[in-house]
Amino acid sequence: MDKFSYEIVEEIAVLSENQRGWRKELNLVSWNGRPPKFDLRDWGLEHEKMGKGVTLSNEEFAELKKALLSM
């Protein structure tokens, strides 16, 4: 499996935290040096481990925001 890199460019929100300290977060993350995307996933302490998540481009995030505001 190829190695990958990530940089959390901006921490936007912590949505929840479980009993083991893992937090569901919304962040701007740059994957492999690419432009940052909105990223929603579980993170371990100090962001050393991560769970599966969803990344969204600016356009996708704008559409999601519109959908949530219309609810």
Side-chain angles (χ1 to χ4, degrees), residues 7 17 19-20 22 27 36 48 54 69:
E7 176 189 1
E17 184 172 338
Q19 294 174 344
R20 295 182 299 164
W22 282 63
N27 299 313
E48 82 289 0
V54 174
L69 289 173

Side-chain angles (χ1 to χ4, degrees), residues 10-64:
E10 182 180 347
E11 296 181 20
I12 299 171
V14 174
L15 304 178
S16 64
E17 184 172 338
N18 70 21
Q19 294 174 344
R20 295 182 299 164
W22 282 63
R23 302 184 324 173
K24 188 173 305 294
E25 300 182 13
L26 176 63
N27 299 313
L28 272 176
V29 179
S30 171
W31 298 97
N32 297 319
R34 294 189 177 115
K37 291 187 173 191
F38 291 95
D39 183 82
L40 181 62
R41 74 180 61 243
D42 290 330
W43 288 93
L45 302 174
E46 306 299 322
H47 296 121
E48 82 289 0
K49 293 184 179 180
M50 67 186 84
K52 291 184 179 180
V54 174
T55 58
L56 301 169
S57 67
N58 289 345
E59 295 79 15
E60 292 167 329
F61 187 77
E63 289 298 317
L64 176 61

